[in-house]
Amino acid sequence: MIEVKSSKISDGEFNRGVFATRDIKKGELIHEAPVIAYPNAEHEHIEKTLLADYAFEYGINHTCILLGYGMLFNHSYQPNATYEINFPNHSFDFFAYKDIKAGEEIFINYNGDEEDQELLWFDKEKQDT
């Protein structure tokens, strides 16, 4: 259903994204990404690494790193996918927010809400410098 390929939205060293290998219907489960959760107090150690750009909030007192393809979905303010945190399963579950055609890159909104147009944290940092 999905595969990782080079993405055209970035020209960085790690310009990968997640792509549909077949048509995916709105609401269909795309991927269940298991998490490695850790207490927020330990996040200061992650902040010193590249992993800081890939960490997700995980409840009130925890942050997590996603496994599987979870950290490879790219951002868009017009996403075609969304995710839900599945605490009982300790996963982030990715669903089609719209119909997705085979070959299309799958995007999520990093703000967590498909309609949220607020600048992302890394864009805010660029603006402040």
Side-chain angles (χ1 to χ4, degrees):
M1 175 187 309
I2 58 176
E3 65 181 344
V4 175
K5 299 189 322 186
S6 292
S7 173
K8 294 179 181 175
I9 69 160
S10 171
D11 59 359
E13 180 181 358
F14 301 110
N15 62 339
R16 295 174 291 187
V18 179
F19 293 78
T21 60
R22 64 165 177 81
D23 291 350
I24 302 171
K25 293 285 185 198
K26 178 180 179 177
E28 189 173 349
L29 177 66
I30 298 170
H31 182 59
E32 292 177 74
V35 304
I36 297 176
Y38 55 89
N40 289 342
E42 295 178 12
H43 190 65
E44 67 184 74
H45 305 293
I46 300 295
E47 284 289 332
K48 298 173 188 172
T49 73
L50 179 64
L51 287 177
D53 290 341
Y54 297 93
F56 283 77
E57 291 179 9
Y58 188 66
I60 297 171
N61 300 313
H62 287 82
T63 305
C64 70
I65 300 296
L66 305 186
L67 301 177
Y69 293 148
M71 293 196 318
L72 299 175
F73 289 93
N74 284 313
H75 167 76
S76 173
Y77 289 112
Q78 291 81 42
N80 54 9
T82 187
Y83 62 88
E84 296 176 6
I85 301 174
N86 184 336
F87 290 106
N89 195 42
H90 298 290
S91 65
F92 273 50
D93 298 345
F94 293 85
F95 297 90
Y97 183 63
K98 303 174 179 176
D99 287 344
I100 303 169
K101 295 284 186 204
E104 275 187 68
E105 184 166 1
I106 302 171
F107 294 100
I108 61 172
N109 185 327
Y110 287 177
N111 286 323
D113 176 357
E114 301 79 28
E115 307 299 323
D116 191 334
Q117 299 295 303
E118 185 176 336
L119 277 181
L120 297 173
W121 67 96
F122 49 80
D123 289 330
K124 287 179 184 176
E125 288 173 1
K126 287 179 197 173
Q127 220 177 29
D128 294 341
T129 57

